[in-house]
């Protein structure tokens, strides 16, 4: 059940889930309320956080990401689960319950392992005080520790 703040944000700005992102044609926002993290060669354009090449297969890497994100308590997986190498989450801030959408995609790396790309974007406001970049850095650190 949605909290009163979640209901308010939905009424003001629409559904919390901003839908899937097409990483192949990703256009970064003109305002500073998004962040992109990627393994080498996994994304074009400005990357805010460099990720490693992971030893896992792509689907296994995203299952580890699911486990980490599930422990957050403020995140919900919202994609249709049709693609084992893609995830989309709605993540809400703890206090005011602002919604952000985070897309994750894992690709096979040449020679084995996986490349990862993560894109986080705010639904509300023109700036996020670096919250999306910090979230992606925290998730990357969590993956390193699992």
């Amino acid at each position: 059940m949605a909290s009163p703040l979640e209901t308010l944000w939905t009424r003001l700005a629409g559904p919390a889930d901003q839908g899937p992102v097409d990483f192949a044609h990703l256009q970064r926002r003109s305002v500073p309320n998004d962040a992109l993290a990627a393994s080498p060669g996994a994304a074009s354009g400005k990357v805010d956080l460099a990720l490693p090449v992971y030893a896992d297969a792509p689907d296994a890497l995203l299952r580890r990401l699911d486990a980490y994100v599930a422990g957050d308590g403020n995140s919900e997986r919202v994609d249709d689960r049709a693609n084992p190498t893609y995830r989309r989450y709605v993540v809400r801030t703890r206090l005011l319950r602002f919604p952000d959408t985070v897309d994750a995609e894992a690709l096979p790396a040449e020679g084995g392992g996986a490349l990862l790309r993560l894109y986080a974007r705010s639904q509300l406001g023109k700036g996020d005080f670096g919250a999306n970049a910090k979230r992606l850095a925290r998730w990357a650190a969590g993956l390193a520790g699992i």
Side-chain angles (χ1 to χ4, degrees), residues 69-135:
V69 171
D72 176 44
N74 291 309
S75 304
E76 175 187 6
R77 185 172 169 191
V78 295
D79 63 279
D80 64 9
R81 299 175 187 252
N83 181 347
T85 60
Y86 172 79
R87 304 288 193 271
R88 190 171 65 256
Y89 308 93
V90 168
V91 184
R92 293 190 178 272
T93 60
R94 293 189 197 288
L95 184 60
L96 293 177
R97 309 299 293 159
F98 291 124
D100 296 339
T101 301
V102 181
D103 292 79
E105 187 173 40
L107 311 164
E110 191 174 312
L115 306 176
L116 181 62
R117 45 194 179 193
L118 302 168
Y119 181 59
R121 60 210 190 274
S122 298
Q123 181 183 32
L124 301 166
K126 292 185 179 181
D128 70 353
F129 304 101
N132 281 305
K134 290 173 190 169
R135 175 181 300 115

Side-chain angles (χ1 to χ4, degrees), residues 15-90:
D17 177 12
Q18 297 176 62
V21 89
D22 178 0
F23 280 104
H25 301 100
L26 179 63
Q27 295 290 315
R28 297 289 304 271
R29 293 181 168 185
S30 61
V31 295
N33 69 354
D34 70 348
L36 178 64
S39 299
S44 60
K46 179 182 178 261
V47 173
D48 301 298
L49 175 66
L51 299 175
V53 175
Y54 295 88
D56 311 73
D59 57 336
L61 176 62
L62 289 184
R63 284 194 304 271
R64 286 197 312 118
L65 181 63
D66 284 339
Y68 179 79
V69 171
D72 176 44
N74 291 309
S75 304
E76 175 187 6
R77 185 172 169 191
V78 295
D79 63 279
D80 64 9
R81 299 175 187 252
N83 181 347
T85 60
Y86 172 79
R87 304 288 193 271
R88 190 171 65 256
Y89 308 93
V90 168

